[in-house]
Structure formats: structure tokens, C-alpha cells
Amino acid sequence: MRIRTDKKTHIWSLTGQVVSVASGLLLMPLMMVFVPEDYLGLWYVYAAIGAIVTLFDNTFAPALARNIAYVWTGARHLQKKDVAEEDCEEIDPVLFKKVLRTCRLIYLVISGASLVIMLGGFTWHVLSVSATLDSAVVIVSWTIYCAAVFFNMLYCYFSSFLRGTGDFVALNKATIISKLVYLGGALLFLLLDMGILGVSFSYFLSGFTFRFVSRFFFYRNPDVKKTLAAAKHKVTFAEEWAIFKILWYNSWREGLIALANYFASQVTTLIASSYLSLSDTGVYSISMQIISSVSLVAFTYFNTSMPAIQSNYVAGDKEAVKKLVSSSAVFAVIMFAVCFAGAVFVGLPILHLIKPTYQFNILLLGIMAVYELLYKHHSLFCSYLSCTNRLPYVWSFLISSAFGLLFTFLLMQFTNVGVYGLILGGMAAQLLFNNWFWPAKVLRELSVNYFAFLGLGTKTLVEKFRRKKDKEKQ
């Protein structure tokens, strides 16, 4: 069954991403008003630590969604490396059931491991940076946050299920509802003067909401019902283990890539908390959140197109793959520029009105934006390679991130560049190799130069827009 993305899919994906970003951006000024600056800085320390353990999810989620997409497209067997071209309209129900069962088992293990790591490995850091704050509030809010991360991860497999079957409409409906619960709950608890305790609890509630809504949509899908009904075979642990070994071949590599991505971006919040005050760390983290939000919206089109890229690759339609990748790249650059301009000229003035004491550094934001765009640009080309079940960029990501950490430490410890060192160290490391090598490699594989690639992407987007206008006229 070939996975295709249409206008409805992209609209829902963009809406879901906008709501996700907006919930975070709306929560930001609410917390700036209702939460003291030191506690706000502590919240971002929570978020940075939570991002570490969600690396477990990032380890398996791409491989799970990718292999579910292969099975949904008609693959009769899964491979550790590369993909066999099999353009079959019929889904193998037994293989589909095996993959789903394996997904559940994997997420049970990684969510439990995440809870142990957060409580056992990072509680000391939370208590040390919050020594001047109310210890009872810190301990209770941290415990609730850890429980929220556990349950959010435990049910993350539904995201892979929906993404792998190309049901982005259902995925984004579930995302939108859960984010509205998160924002609404946080607003209520903040008005009740519960501070980060309330925000932690609303995050906990949003995870349960996502689980129930996404489960409802997944099992309501008639194709899923039909496929699972046809799978009379009882899956054994040995069969789950066999599927796990196939997934693990690339999953541990995906995990290293996720670790590299974390070190290349979010770890700077933890570094900042070692060199800056909690209030200054909060301002820096808010700046990072703004740029991350811009990036999330800009690259939504590509993320939505990934199952279609995987499906067309399995079917051997290389021209369709080239059009999808090129149009996604062009769309991402345009949207990034538009969203960044909106953040600077609309978002920052609003934040300044809400909290005049928060002073945002426009130059720092600009440097962050350039770094993020270059990083996500080469990551887009690497994601194309991952769609073909190849991950040749693992070690270059790790090495670049290690050098980025080293450069950042040297700049923060031995120079006077201040907060700029948190970004410039990572930027220098990525410019040395990743920013240019992987785009060049993929372009060679697609037999196109960069300008022709941009031209094809622009042409594809224009054609889609014209078809949309023609349909509206009819």
C-alpha cells in the first residue's frame, strides 16, 4: 500500500506543529508572569534533563516508524541494512503484528530505564542548582516531572504507529488535543498559584491524553482493523526478539545520532547553568526555545513527507523521491526565514511587554538562527539517507558534537565572548564537515547539482500550488 501525502495531510501536520509550538510559546509568557525567575530557570533545567532521557525514544522511534512504513507499503521481510524494492499493494498482516508487538515491548523497557536514570542520575544536579529554593517544591515538582516523562515515553509507540502508516491527520489531532490539555492545565494551575508544580502536573496529564486519543485513532483505522484481524498468528517472544535484532542494527546508531544532536544543541542549557545564573539561564533557554520553535515549523513539511519518501524508495520511484526531498528543502528554508522574522518583529515585542525585565539579545538570536538552519539543512539530507535504511553519518555526527563541546568549553572557560561561546563552539565544529559534506553526498547520489536541486524543489512546489488553485476553481 503506497503511502502518499496530500493537501489535507500537510495542512494537519502544519497545524499540529503550529499548535505544539504555540502551546510552548504561550506557556512561556505565562510562566514569565506567574513563576519567579529562578524557578523558571529551574524548569528549563528540568526540560534539558528530560531531553537527555528522551534520547531513548529518539533511538528507536525513527527505526520503528521507518520499518512500519516498509511493512505498510508491502514489504514481505525486513532487512538490517538497505531496503528490498517490493511494490506490493497487500500488507503482510503477520509481519505487521510482529512489528507492533515488538514496539510495545521496546517502549516498556526504555520508559522504565528513563525513570531510573532521571531519579537516580540527575536528582543530585537538580538539588545542587536549586539549593537556594524551597526544597519541598523542588522535590515534588521534579518527581512529578519524572513521572510525566515516564508515561509520555511509555505510550510514544502510538506516535510511531501513526507515523509509520502515514496517518498524520490522526497523529496531529492527538497532538493538538494533548497540547491543549497541557496549556489549559498549566494556565489553570498557574492561576491557582501552583508554579512549576502545576506545570509539571499538566505535562503529566497531556501524556495520558495523547495515549488515549492516539490509540483511539489508530485502532479506528479500517486498514489497521482489517490487517490485525487477518493476523491470526500468535506472536512469540522469539519472533519479537528476531524483529528487535533487525531494528537494533540501526537503532543503536540512531541513538548515537540523537545523542550527537543533543550535544549539538540542548546540552548548552546545562552548560549555561554552570556559568550563568538561573535567571540568565532562563533567558538563554527561552531564546533557544524560540529558535527551536521556528525550526520545528519550518521542517514540518519534510517530516510529513518522510513516510512517502520511504514508500516511494521501496517502490523504486526515484524521481518521486527526488521531488519530495527537493521541495521539502526549499519549503524549509523559506518557512524558516518567514518564521524567524515573525519571531523577531512580533514575538519579542510581545514578550517584552509581558516581562520588561527580560532582555533578549537580537545578535545572539541571529547567530542561533544561522546555526540551527545550517544544522537542520544538513540533517535533512541525512534523513533522506535514513529513509533508505542507511546511516553512514553516525560517527561524523558524534565527532563533530564532541569537538563542539570542546570548543564551547574552551570559549566559555578561557575567553570573554560570554554567552556567544555557547553557540559559536558548536557552529565551528559543524562547519568543518557536516554542514557541507552530507548535502554534497546526497546530491551526487541523486545526480543533481545544488542549484538544479533548488530549481526542481521550487518547480515542484509551484506545480502543487497551481494544482491546488485549479481544483479550487473547479
Side-chain angles (χ1 to χ4, degrees):
M1 183 182 295
R2 190 83 69 91
I3 297 175
R4 295 178 173 85
T5 55
D6 55 15
K7 172 186 172 184
K8 183 180 179 181
T9 301
H10 286 297
I11 288 175
W12 270 104
S13 294
L14 185 59
T15 303
Q17 200 62 262
V18 168
V19 171
S20 295
V21 169
S23 65
L25 294 180
L26 289 173
L27 181 60
M28 184 195 308
L30 288 174
M31 293 186 71
M32 290 167 66
V33 171
F34 292 102
V35 178
E37 292 182 3
D38 286 344
Y39 281 100
L40 181 59
L42 180 63
W43 172 257
Y44 281 105
V45 172
Y46 287 3
I49 295 172
I52 295 176
V53 298
T54 55
L55 293 175
F56 285 117
D57 176 39
N58 294 333
T59 296
F60 286 98
L64 296 179
R66 188 165 60 244
N67 281 279
I68 291 171
Y70 295 153
V71 177
W72 197 250
T73 302
R76 288 298 182 263
H77 67 284
L78 300 177
Q79 299 179 178
K80 291 182 176 180
K81 190 176 181 181
D82 296 323
V83 184
E85 291 186 5
E86 299 173 305
D87 190 12
C88 180
E89 289 298 317
E90 293 297 324
I91 302 167
D92 183 337
V94 174
L95 182 58
F96 184 68
K97 184 177 180 179
K98 288 178 183 178
V99 174
L100 297 191
R101 288 285 299 271
T102 305
C103 288
R104 290 195 188 102
L105 180 61
I106 288 171
Y107 273 98
L108 177 61
V109 173
I110 64 175
S111 57
S114 299
L115 183 61
V116 171
I117 290 172
M118 288 187 72
L119 289 175
F122 287 100
T123 298
W124 66 271
H125 181 74
V126 169
L127 294 176
S128 65
V129 300
S130 60
T132 59
L133 306 180
D134 187 327
S135 59
V137 171
V138 172
I139 292 171
V140 175
S141 63
W142 172 240
T143 303
I144 294 174
Y145 185 83
C146 290
V149 170
F150 169 77
F151 283 109
N152 272 275
M153 290 190 65
L154 180 61
Y155 301 123
C156 263
Y157 57 79
F158 279 111
S159 177
S160 295
F161 290 177
L162 294 172
R163 193 179 299 276
T165 56
D167 198 352
F168 282 92
V169 173
L171 174 61
N172 284 283
K173 285 180 179 179
T175 300
I176 289 169
I177 293 171
S178 65
K179 292 298 181 183
L180 291 177
V181 169
Y182 181 33
L183 182 61
L187 174 59
L188 174 63
F189 295 134
L190 286 173
L191 290 174
L192 293 174
D193 199 28
M194 292 179 64
I196 61 172
L197 280 170
V199 180
S200 295
F201 189 64
S202 64
Y203 180 49
F204 180 86
L205 292 177
S206 71
F208 272 98
T209 303
F210 179 82
R211 185 268 183 187
F212 287 113
V213 176
S214 58
R215 184 183 188 280
F216 168 77
F217 282 125
F218 180 73
Y219 286 112
R220 194 183 68 165
N221 185 321
D223 292 319
V224 171
K225 282 183 178 180
K226 176 183 174 183
T227 302
L228 292 178
K232 303 297 184 182
H233 176 76
K234 185 177 181 180
V235 180
T236 65
F237 179 76
E239 290 171 322
E240 291 180 354
W241 180 248
I243 295 292
F244 173 80
K245 287 190 291 185
I246 293 172
L247 298 177
W248 179 248
Y249 180 82
N250 273 331
S251 289
W252 71 268
R253 294 172 173 82
E254 298 272 13
L256 292 179
I257 293 166
L259 184 65
N261 288 336
Y262 178 84
F263 285 138
S265 56
Q266 297 182 26
V267 77
T268 55
T269 299
L270 294 180
I271 297 174
S273 67
S274 299
Y275 288 94
L276 309 175
S277 66
L278 274 178
S279 58
D280 287 340
T281 299
V283 175
Y284 173 80
S285 300
I286 291 171
S287 301
M288 286 285 291
Q289 184 178 353
I290 291 170
I291 299 303
S292 296
S293 300
V294 167
S295 180
L296 282 171
V297 174
F299 285 84
T300 296
Y301 186 91
F302 174 71
N303 292 332
T304 305
S305 298
M306 283 184 70
I309 294 172
Q310 293 158 2
S311 182
N312 281 289
Y313 185 84
V314 171
D317 192 344
K318 301 299 191 295
E319 190 60 31
V321 169
K322 190 186 297 186
K323 287 183 178 180
L324 284 166
V325 176
S326 61
S327 61
S328 298
V330 172
F331 186 86
V333 173
I334 294 172
M335 281 297 294
F336 193 98
V338 172
C339 292
F340 178 69
V344 171
F345 295 111
V346 179
L348 291 186
I350 292 175
L351 289 178
H352 183 70
L353 287 174
I354 294 171
K355 196 78 170 181
T357 57
Y358 276 70
Q359 299 297 321
F360 292 95
N361 186 327
I362 301 298
L363 177 59
L364 179 64
L365 274 173
I367 296 172
M368 283 181 173
V370 172
Y371 173 56
E372 179 72 8
L373 180 58
L374 289 174
Y375 192 88
K376 285 299 178 68
H377 182 257
H378 79 245
S379 295
L380 182 149
F381 287 93
C382 291
S383 294
Y384 157 76
L385 294 172
S386 75
C387 286
T388 66
N389 214 24
R390 294 173 294 159
L391 304 174
Y393 48 89
V394 175
W395 297 111
S396 72
F397 270 47
L398 278 175
I399 293 169
S400 294
S401 294
F403 273 104
L405 280 176
L406 175 62
F407 294 163
T408 299
F409 172 75
L410 293 175
L411 288 171
M412 296 299 293
Q413 188 72 26
F414 301 108
T415 73
N416 296 320
V417 297
V419 70
Y420 296 104
L422 295 169
I423 302 300
L424 293 176
M427 180 183 286
Q430 298 300 328
L431 282 169
L432 287 174
F433 188 78
N434 287 330
N435 282 165
W436 60 268
F437 180 83
W438 296 111
K441 177 179 173 59
V442 171
L443 291 174
R444 285 197 302 270
E445 183 171 308
L446 295 175
S447 302
V448 62
N449 64 56
Y450 191 68
F451 292 106
F453 178 81
L454 294 179
L456 177 63
T458 304
K459 180 182 177 182
T460 302
L461 288 174
V462 170
E463 287 175 350
K464 283 186 177 181
F465 178 76
R466 285 177 177 171
R467 284 197 299 268
K468 173 187 171 185
K469 298 295 288 184
D470 291 340
K471 286 182 180 179
E472 289 176 352
K473 288 180 181 178
Q474 294 172 1

